[in-house]
Amino acid sequence: MAAAARNKALNLMRHVAKSWRHIAPESTAVTLNKKYGTTADPQTQKEYAFEMACSNIRYGPGVTQEVGMDCKNMGAKLVCVMTDKYLSPLAPVQVALESLERHNVPYKLYDRCRVEPTDESFKAAVDFSNQHKFDVFLAIGGGSVMDTCKAANLYSSNPQSELLDYVNAPIGKGLPVTHQLKPLIAVTTTAGTGSETTGTAVFDYLPMKAKTGISNRALRPTLGIVDPLHLITMPERVAAYSGIDVLCHAIESYTAVPYDERIPRPENPMLRPAYQGCNPVSDIWSAHALRMTKKYLKRAVYDKGDTEARSTMGLASTYAGIGFGNAGVHLCHGMSYPISGLVKDFVSKGYDQDIALVPHGLSVVISAPAVFEFMAPACPERHLEAAKFLGVDITNKKNADAGQVLGDKLRQIMQDIDVPDGLIELGYTKDDIPALVKGTLPQHRVIKLAPRPQTEEDLTQIFENCMRIY
């Protein structure tokens, strides 16, 4: 079995390597140095390097019980524990708190993180952090909790900063993070966001009624903890929409603009963005996440007792997180932000019935078939390969068919886990499309990584194609 797994991994690496240029022989070193080491304006030059960054990851049933010792090892004098009101009385949080108490680590609990956070909920968490002298942060929850904790760490570590200082341009100033953040341990309780591996924090910016985010390597958790025991109690819809987010993370990062096609080249390495475009290393993580999702997603959604499926989806989420945390996502996520931000009265079963919201994974996948059908002509081979990773036999498929092939496979997966039939079922009509397009256009952090540029007319057509899926 070990030999078979090793051979499979090697074959995957060889396959991915074929997509990239071979390293030039030593005899051409001088020529390459002139090309890549040029002093010309970086704003007009393509990128020539990528930089892999990832949190340390710990995986294993029951590893949450170690967080107290982790904080003690860090010399913590006061830990900020962040979670939400639903998780606060449940095992993931209680196990962590018991561990802190057992190791005599002082802490204060903040359990007001909002599901699908907003600028206001971020500010509330930052205000709480500013009231205390925390030296370690501990997030226990899904992507909403982890992103809130990242923001609290970022802004409380530099109390003079304002919210928009680090928010991605053009919505915010997009300033580089130059100050030191506190250690952050992220204990994930869902299998989807991959936030335990990334330097990204996403929120609804209420003045614009659209999601935006902060993306910088400095936000990455010091340690991401993936404890499969926490995944057993996930509600069905949470398992579905967090799981389908894994799939979109992986496909978007695999089909993103190649890192060496991205412009501009940064003038300083510290300005190299977290989302850099697909590259030979991120490809391996994204491709394997797709294979895992294909095999285990449906099982994980419909059978809480299938510990193998739910545990493996937890790993798939982390794998995809490493992939997209370095390569980036693109248009599905760019379009998802106004879909979430402009929600009217849609309430998903399995979520808080008092709050109108479109769960993140649902807001992302609802556009996926239409997006990838639009994008496929720019890199058909990559779209066909993504379909292959999801189990499609592409032997006789032509490049011209790539978008349809991948789109049809996604529709099948979405039907299998009961994803609503398009934007209409989320409460949108065609009259809402101009506002949805307007909310997508400023999402430069992600939409500029798409392999095919989009005009307003293109986005309008894509949104129209999302009104109904099946």
Side-chain angles (χ1 to χ4, degrees), residues 93 110 116 145 288 408:
V93 175
Y110 181 86
E116 304 297 338
V145 170
H288 197 55
D408 287 346

Side-chain angles (χ1 to χ4, degrees), residues 166-206:
Y166 302 113
V167 172
N168 301 301
I171 295 174
K173 298 178 182 178
L175 298 179
V177 178
T178 57
H179 64 278
Q180 187 70 37
L181 275 64
K182 305 296 192 300
L184 189 159
I185 300 173
V187 182
T188 181
T189 59
T190 62
T193 68
S195 189
E196 70 277 5
T197 73
T198 74
T200 298
V202 176
F203 65 97
D204 279 311
Y205 186 49
L206 297 177

Side-chain angles (χ1 to χ4, degrees), residues 35 39 66 113 157 179 224 228 242 251 254 326 444 463:
K35 177 181 179 182
T39 57
E66 297 180 354
C113 294
S157 299
H179 64 278
S242 60
I251 302 179
Y254 194 76
N326 289 279
H444 293 182
F463 273 115

